[in-house]
Amino acid sequence: MAALRRTLHLASLAAGVRRAVAGSLAGRCLAYRRLWDKLPAQPRQGSAGTFDWFFGYEEAQGLLLPLLQEAPAACPPRVLDVGCGTSSLCTGLYTKCPHPVGVLGVDFSPVAVAHMNNLLEGGQGQTPLCPGHPASRLHFMQANALNLQPVASSGSFHLVLDKGTWDAVAQAGLPGAYQLLSECLRVLSPGGTLIQFSDEDPDVRLPCLEQGSQGCTVCVQELGPFGGITYFAYLVQGSN
């Protein structure tokens, strides 16, 4: 069953790529940057400037907001979205979270980062995004999620989000996926939480996370179904 779900998962991603880039890179590895560079340029009716694999902020907010409320009151919690692409997770947190939050989205595609900064700042005659709380902040930066040293110091984020990034990186081999996990855990603050959103079965993902995050608490929650598909939120909580 896990192998079948994984096959369907990859087929779904490939189908999305075919629709987004008209087949030019549909057969290529999802870990290649030039594939993601092409996605933001594709017009998508009703997309509001963002494009989501799996699902968007609206479907995830019920899990995210309680975790942010648990953050220490002394300072707004910081959220890092690794491999943010043009997803609505960052913009949704910034514009709809009623509590102050500092959000950083990083992606290795300069095209995706430029697109999201343009959306944030209201370029090309668009209206700039307004924060849900006056103290909230949102930034987008180009960075490789396998090496976050240039943009993120150790222990600096209360919440780290990975929506499909492990899935894409693992296409080039599990060593890269484990490096991604290591970097996410490095920048996580004591007691913070890493969330991986995926449709990969727990009997495949959980052993990987348990092996790569020893000393942390690992659990899984079902999300959905959305569009007839059940997804999973894999939570890795660091020790205090």
Side-chain angles (χ1 to χ4, degrees):
M1 176 61 79
L4 175 60
R5 281 190 54 84
R6 191 60 179 159
T7 299
L8 294 174
H9 162 76
L10 296 177
S12 174
L13 289 181
V17 171
R18 281 194 292 272
R19 290 192 295 270
V21 301
S24 61
L25 290 171
R28 308 291 180 87
C29 179
L30 294 174
Y32 292 168
R33 195 187 81 183
R34 60 182 175 274
L35 183 150
W36 303 104
D37 284 346
K38 287 186 175 277
L39 290 180
Q42 306 302 315
R44 290 173 291 279
Q45 186 175 1
S47 67
T50 59
F51 175 78
D52 284 290
W53 297 118
F54 305 152
F55 51 81
Y57 171 77
E58 296 295 336
E59 292 79 9
Q61 62 178 332
L63 176 62
L64 301 180
L65 294 182
L67 289 172
L68 294 175
Q69 290 177 327
E70 295 172 2
C75 59
R78 298 188 68 202
V79 180
L80 175 66
D81 185 1
V82 294
C84 64
T86 57
S87 165
S88 64
L89 280 187
C90 288
T91 56
L93 278 170
Y94 176 66
T95 61
K96 298 180 180 180
C97 180
H99 316 290
V101 61
V103 184
L104 173 62
V106 299
D107 199 275
F108 68 172
S109 167
V111 179
V113 171
H115 176 86
M116 295 307 287
N117 275 320
N118 186 67
L119 182 65
L120 171 63
E121 297 163 4
Q124 298 179 344
Q126 302 179 59
T127 302
L129 299 182
C130 295
H133 189 283
S136 291
R137 298 292 182 266
L138 173 60
H139 301 281
F140 293 99
M141 300 180 66
Q142 183 184 0
N144 187 336
L146 276 63
N147 179 19
L148 295 169
Q149 290 279 0
V151 297
S153 58
S154 298
S156 55
F157 289 91
H158 175 77
L159 183 61
V160 178
L161 306 177
D162 168 347
K163 185 160 71 74
T165 303
W166 168 290
D167 302 79
V169 171
Q171 285 290 288
L174 279 178
Y178 280 117
Q179 178 61 26
L180 166 67
L181 175 61
S182 176
E183 276 295 273
C184 289
L185 295 177
R186 180 185 65 79
V187 303
L188 199 63
S189 64
T193 303
L194 161 66
I195 306 179
Q196 290 187 350
F197 295 107
S198 179
D199 66 352
E200 185 171 61
D201 273 1
D203 58 354
V204 176
R205 182 65 62 89
L206 283 177
C208 293
L209 293 180
E210 290 167 350
Q211 177 180 336
S213 56
Q214 296 182 14
C216 298
T217 302
V218 181
C219 63
V220 60
Q221 295 185 25
E222 282 194 8
L223 296 177
F226 306 128
I229 300 175
T230 297
Y231 296 93
F232 300 96
Y234 296 95
L235 287 77
V236 182
Q237 187 168 23
S239 57
N240 289 304

